[in-house]
Amino acid sequence: MLRGISPHSAVEMHAHRQSGHGTQSTSATVNQGRKFGTWTCFFMLLELVESQREGIGQRRSAAFFRAVADGIPMPRVAWQLYFRAARLLRFGTATVSLMFALQRLSRARMSLPTKLDRKAVTVLITGAGGQIGYSLIFAIARGELLGKDQPVNLHLAEVEAAMPKLRAVVMELEDCACPLLHKVVATCDDVDAFAGVDVALLVGARPRTPDMERKDLLAVNARIFERAGALLDSVASKDVKVVVVGNPANTNALIAAEHAPSIPKENFTALTRLDQNRATGAIAKRLGVSPADVKGAIIWGNHSTTQFPDVSSATVDGKPVPEAVGDEGWLRGAFTSLVQNRGKEVIEARGGAGSAASAAHAIIEHTRDWLLGSDGATVSMGVYTSAAVGGSYGIPPGLVFSLPLRTYRGGRYEVVEGLPVSEYARSRLAVTQTELLEERSKALTTTPESGAGGGGAGVEVA
Ligand code: LMR
């Protein structure tokens, strides 16, 4: 079903799986891209030869061109026309530029940095009918994720049972008539949901109950993220940027990354911005200042009760936070515990439902800073560790570990190096690292009974 919601936009509701067409069309576009690459190289060579032509002599040059043309599956007459035109117009570097431009235009899988500002970026939200989705979707449609001039397509995924709820969201979305929203696909078919996406916000997963830790969800949620990884690998953009929200977020991100071998590991992140915001908010409240005045709060490690919210390098109005607070005991005790346990506190206060508006807000900030750049600010994200990412702080490779980062437009990030790490901090890092290592070994040995259904879609986390 296709219904227009603005001159540029369309809504599709998919209720049923249609064969795995996504993979086929994807490989076709890649081949097309390769062909253009080959042609461009050939034309460059041709230009080079053409520019040397005066010294070669007309006849030898024509014989060379014919020999080349014989090896290329293109009608002889087309080559002759090209050579004539080349001689007439005496074009040199201009042709090469033109071919490059054509190649770039033809690339169906334009990479994200190129796509920003030019074409609609396709954003997937799993568990889209849930409460986080209800905040997130409208914020994205308003342009809060990628900027007020960046058109977006939304792929909204849900399990079949939640489709009526998602339909209601889509109706409201239509009624907003957001000018930046080009196309909406609402579906419980996970192949359709993941096909061609540039940004994947993986919210859908089984949520915890107040008596659980997030890692208790590993057995039931691992399967959702294995499937999500496989889908990203086969039908998403090869440059897809992934934000994992469903808990346990760090290890779920690791699972997804391991199941998507063709996508760079640095494209997988876990949300710890919610914790960073909680830490910033708690410091601002304690000091009676605006959160905007508090800069540089860091979350290290796991999005769990072992995380280390670190404000030792943070500042408030340019003054070190530890000095402004003047109470080391509070920082190590009540403050740390507040950030570590805030998720559970919210679940209890909301009668069993998890953070929704604050989670959506954090997802927007995480993704926006990652893709558009943090302007020199330090931000925390769970990222895939390696010798270069986290190695200098002694973090072992192959974990998704929250680190202090600086991010740059297009999705590049680097670890903020050289921050002082006290003995106390080192002991906190060791605790959260141990937990992540344990989760990883469980994730790799667990045979989960069942996911929340819908493969990569699943139910909301909150
Ligand atoms: C949160 O931190 O609010 C979410 O991860 C939900 C939860 O289970 O705590």
Side-chain angles (χ1 to χ4, degrees):
M1 180 161 61
L2 217 81
R3 287 171 290 157
I5 58 172
S6 88
H8 305 294
S9 60
V11 177
E12 289 176 30
M13 298 288 297
H14 298 182
H16 304 289
R17 168 173 295 282
Q18 295 147 16
S19 65
H21 55 77
T23 321
Q24 283 164 18
S25 60
T26 297
S27 63
T29 52
V30 168
N31 285 342
Q32 230 175 2
R34 282 204 195 112
K35 250 190 211 161
F36 270 95
T38 314
W39 285 122
T40 306
C41 289
F42 172 70
F43 281 118
M44 282 178 74
L45 187 71
L46 209 58
E47 293 301 335
L48 204 70
V49 174
E50 182 72 1
S51 67
Q52 303 295 317
R53 190 167 54 87
E54 276 169 20
I56 299 174
Q58 195 88 15
R59 268 211 201 147
R60 276 174 60 196
S61 165
F64 172 79
F65 285 144
R66 260 202 306 281
V68 174
D70 281 341
I72 307 288
M74 182 161 144
R76 174 76 58 95
V77 64
W79 284 113
Q80 281 166 350
L81 278 173
Y82 171 75
F83 299 142
R84 289 257 154 81
R87 279 192 203 106
L88 270 177
L89 300 173
R90 306 184 67 77
F91 53 65
T93 48
T95 321
V96 176
S97 316
L98 183 69
M99 292 313 296
F100 269 125
L102 281 175
Q103 182 197 8
R104 292 183 75 178
L105 277 175
S106 75
R107 242 193 254 151
R109 288 176 148 216
M110 215 177 265
S111 68
L112 191 67
T114 320
K115 253 189 180 179
L116 288 172
D117 301 329
R118 295 184 57 195
K119 284 184 86 176
V121 170
T122 301
V123 181
L124 162 69
I125 302 169
T126 64
Q131 294 196 38
I132 294 177
Y134 196 66
S135 286
L136 191 55
I137 289 167
F138 296 92
I140 296 174
R142 284 193 296 272
E144 289 174 23
L145 189 76
L146 299 171
K148 302 281 181 192
D149 52 1
Q150 174 60 57
V152 286
N153 300 321
L154 279 176
H155 281 197
L156 307 178
E158 253 309 347
V159 287
E160 199 156 4
M163 283 306 281
K165 219 170 155 193
L166 186 58
R167 274 189 203 104
V169 174
V170 171
M171 282 166 68
E172 284 201 70
L173 209 44
E174 287 181 290
D175 297 346
C176 291
C178 294
L180 286 176
L181 193 54
H182 274 208
K183 189 178 167 194
V184 180
V185 174
T187 184
C188 58
D189 179 329
D190 55 13
V191 175
D192 285 349
F194 280 70
V197 301
D198 302 300
V199 178
L201 307 177
L202 304 184
V203 177
R206 180 86 52 88
R208 65 172 167 159
T209 48
D211 55 320
M212 290 172 98
E213 288 300 326
R214 296 180 184 101
K215 63 184 165 196
D216 297 337
L217 295 165
L218 193 54
V220 283
N221 284 341
R223 196 148 185 200
I224 292 177
F225 290 89
E226 286 173 14
R227 173 80 178 149
L231 287 163
L232 290 165
D233 197 53
S234 55
V235 299
S237 156
K238 287 294 166 219
D239 196 35
V240 63
K241 301 290 191 285
V242 185
V243 183
V244 174
V245 181
N247 282 314
N250 297 52
T251 301
N252 287 340
L254 183 73
I255 293 170
E258 298 299 343
H259 284 79
S262 68
I263 295 170
K265 298 282 185 269
E266 63 264 28
N267 290 19
F268 289 84
T269 64
L271 184 78
T272 53
R273 184 58 169 263
L274 182 51
D275 307 298
Q276 181 189 320
N277 290 346
R278 285 168 175 163
T280 303
I283 296 291
K285 188 173 169 190
R286 164 91 181 194
L287 297 175
V289 298
S290 159
D293 298 331
V294 182
K295 300 202 181 347
I298 294 164
I299 303 299
W300 298 89
N302 201 1
H303 174 59
S304 76
T305 50
T306 67
Q307 67 178 275
F308 173 38
D310 176 12
V311 289
S312 58
S313 315
T315 58
V316 53
D317 274 336
K319 192 174 175 185
V321 164
E323 200 183 313
V325 169
D327 186 347
E328 188 76 13
W330 180 80
L331 285 175
R332 290 187 182 188
F335 164 74
T336 300
S337 161
L338 182 152
V339 180
Q340 290 174 334
N341 293 293
R342 188 64 155 196
K344 184 173 262 183
E345 247 192 273
V346 172
I347 293 173
E348 282 163 3
R350 278 170 47 86
S355 307
S358 57
H361 181 75
I363 295 167
I364 294 280
E365 291 196 326
H366 169 120
T367 314
R368 190 200 55 214
D369 283 351
W370 182 16
L371 299 182
L372 303 185
S374 65
D375 262 338
T378 299
V379 292
S380 295
M381 302 197 292
V383 289
Y384 199 97
T385 58
S386 63
V389 178
S392 64
Y393 290 107
I395 314 300
L399 293 176
V400 172
F401 196 100
S402 183
L403 290 168
L405 306 167
R406 266 188 216 103
T407 56
Y408 301 93
R409 188 176 177 81
R412 195 172 70 76
Y413 58 77
E414 62 191 15
V415 177
V416 178
E417 300 289 1
L419 293 171
V421 181
S422 66
E423 215 156 285
Y424 166 73
R426 214 165 280 289
S427 70
R428 303 306 323 167
L429 290 186
V431 171
T432 197
Q433 175 185 309
T434 302
E435 182 181 46
L436 280 168
L437 286 168
E438 280 165 12
E439 284 186 23
R440 180 175 74 180
S441 58
K442 263 198 204 128
L444 300 183
T445 52
T446 304
T447 313
E449 319 110 36
S450 129
V459 295
E460 62 181 14
V461 287

